[in-house]
Amino acid sequence: MSTAAPALDITEDILRLKKEKNAVILAHNYQSGDIQDLADYVGDSLGLAYKAKETDADVIVFCGVHFMAETAHIVNPTKTVILPDADAGCSLEQSCPADQLEAFLKENADKNYYVIAYINCSGGVKALCDVIVTSGNAVKIVEQAPADRPILFVPDENLGAWVMEQTGRKMDLWKGNCYVHVEFTQNSIQKIKDEYPDALVVAHPECPTAVRLLADEVCSTEKMVAYCKNAPVDNIIVVTESGMLHRLQKEAPDKNLIPGPTDKCACADCRYMKMNTLAKLHACLENLSPQVTMPEDLRKRAEAPLLLMLEQSK
Ligand code: 13P
Ligand code: SF4
């Protein structure tokens, strides 16, 4: 009589490995529902950076994209930081290579720019900046920028435009964007608003201006949770990446959450965020690979503007 090995319950085995390796699982709000449900903490870039800095686990399993895992390494370098799929990048990060920013700053040295970088960028770009922001604290941090220096804001022109409106501070904007959020158009969001005339609209600040102007609230993914929970209506149109709907549905189960459509699709997926899967999460915990790390001198230069951000966003 043959005795087949029992099928592996991948969820249980991830939890077993997590305990064995003394690991913490941090997941961004755009991760797939099965990963969010397993994580110790689910949040936005700001919340995840704080959690990564504070953890006393030996291993940080970062279920998000590369710049987020790299940020965890920068703020907590003695930990082993692993990312289920090492190729999980970000179009914003790609739109501002460090060598191009360095060349631009050299060419414009006479301007003496105060350089503010959205956290969606490489460690090399962070190392060239004065301070970092996330969508959750950008307004607060820009308000604290020195009044006597011009600001260069990289790499998201849409977030930058929103922050300029909010703060009244003029900034020179790098021409980068998130390929997911620029898929939302005035037409696609107006159409869904027409279908649900009583709905409120919440949008991420990476959306283009014409889309933001149709929104009742513009905020980071984490702030969307409180907004939806407290909204005085049932129908809410959520204009951001589709993974957010899983988190929101759990936190605000009594609301009818409607994904913001694009002109081509009923919702928008980030192909980078969705590269992480339960199987890759299991494998990376088992092998403690792929690890995210960087040269120590570069890490130190990237750490200073990140620590300033954490200090200024308190
Ligand atoms: P949040 O910090 O608001 O979660 O945004 C991160 C991101 O990548 C949005 O596309
Ligand atoms: Fe980058 Fe856009 Fe994906 Fe966020 S949604 S990780 S900004 S590509």
Side-chain angles (χ1 to χ4, degrees):
M1 201 174 70
S2 68
T3 49
L8 180 79
D9 180 326
I10 196 161
T11 303
E12 264 179 32
D13 214 49
I14 288 170
L15 295 175
R16 177 189 67 78
L17 284 166
K18 192 179 80 144
K19 209 166 167 197
E20 187 182 296
K21 314 266 182 181
N22 188 24
V24 64
I25 301 178
L26 305 182
H28 186 264
N29 286 319
Y30 296 164
Q31 290 293 282
S32 56
D34 51 5
I35 291 181
Q36 289 192 31
D37 292 346
L38 257 181
D40 296 293
Y41 176 81
V42 183
D44 67 355
S45 306
L46 183 60
L48 290 164
Y50 275 116
K51 286 286 167 194
K53 184 160 169 48
E54 287 158 9
T55 188
D56 51 15
D58 294 322
V59 176
I60 299 172
V61 190
F62 211 110
C63 298
V65 291
H66 188 273
F67 78 80
M68 296 178 175
E70 195 175 55
T71 300
H73 169 67
I74 294 168
V75 297
N76 206 343
T78 62
K79 309 298 180 186
T80 299
V81 179
I82 51 178
L83 176 66
D85 191 317
D87 293 328
C90 168
S91 69
L92 270 169
E93 174 175 353
Q94 288 152 16
S95 65
C96 185
D99 56 346
Q100 282 182 26
L101 176 60
E102 192 169 19
F104 179 87
L105 290 173
K106 265 198 193 123
E107 274 162 34
N108 293 279
D110 56 315
K111 293 212 167 88
N112 190 25
Y113 273 123
Y114 186 74
V115 186
I116 303 183
Y118 186 28
I119 199 165
N120 295 37
C121 64
S122 66
V125 165
K126 289 185 176 78
L128 293 168
C129 293
D130 292 290
V131 72
I132 308 296
V133 302
T134 72
S135 59
N137 63 18
V139 170
K140 196 170 183 182
I141 305 258
V142 169
E143 279 169 351
Q144 295 173 70
D148 57 348
R149 285 177 67 187
I151 297 176
L152 174 68
F153 187 88
V154 304
D156 189 356
E157 59 179 339
N158 290 310
L159 177 73
W162 175 69
V163 172
M164 283 208 285
E165 283 164 26
Q166 299 296 304
T167 60
R169 187 83 199 254
K170 195 194 158 312
M171 305 193 292
D172 289 340
L173 306 178
W174 192 267
K175 292 248 158 286
N177 59 50
C178 161
Y179 91 97
V180 180
H181 287 85
V182 297
E183 285 286 302
F184 299 115
T185 66
Q186 188 177 18
N187 176 57
S188 70
I189 302 306
Q190 189 57 57
K191 258 187 169 160
I192 193 90
K193 268 173 76 100
D194 292 345
E195 250 181 78
Y196 296 91
D198 63 336
L200 288 175
V201 179
V202 61
H204 196 274
E206 288 173 12
C207 293
T209 304
V211 169
R212 273 194 285 107
L213 291 175
L214 294 174
D216 298 284
E217 176 69 358
V218 177
C219 61
S220 75
T221 59
E222 195 57 32
K223 289 182 183 169
M224 286 182 184
V225 174
Y227 182 79
C228 290
K229 271 183 175 170
N230 300 327
V233 296
D234 291 335
N235 293 331
I236 306 168
I237 299 165
V238 182
V239 190
T240 193
E241 206 271 349
S242 63
M244 192 66 219
L245 275 291
H246 181 80
R247 171 85 195 280
L248 290 175
Q249 211 71 71
K250 277 173 101 168
E251 302 259 5
D254 53 326
K255 302 290 186 202
N256 180 31
L257 300 159
I258 304 144
T262 70
D263 287 318
K264 293 178 221 128
C265 290
C267 65
D269 286 327
C270 172
R271 65 171 172 271
Y272 302 111
M273 284 282 179
K274 298 306 190 287
M275 281 180 174
N276 296 325
T277 60
L278 273 192
K280 289 181 198 171
L281 167 54
H282 182 264
C284 87
L285 248 177
E286 193 159 46
N287 307 318
L288 292 186
S289 167
Q291 278 189 30
V292 176
T293 181
M294 65 201 291
E296 181 56 14
D297 60 329
L298 183 63
R299 187 201 66 78
K300 278 215 172 97
R301 280 184 281 129
E303 186 182 28
L306 267 169
L307 294 183
L308 182 59
M309 172 191 86
L310 296 178
E311 181 58 34
Q312 291 191 345
S313 63
K314 273 184 194 156

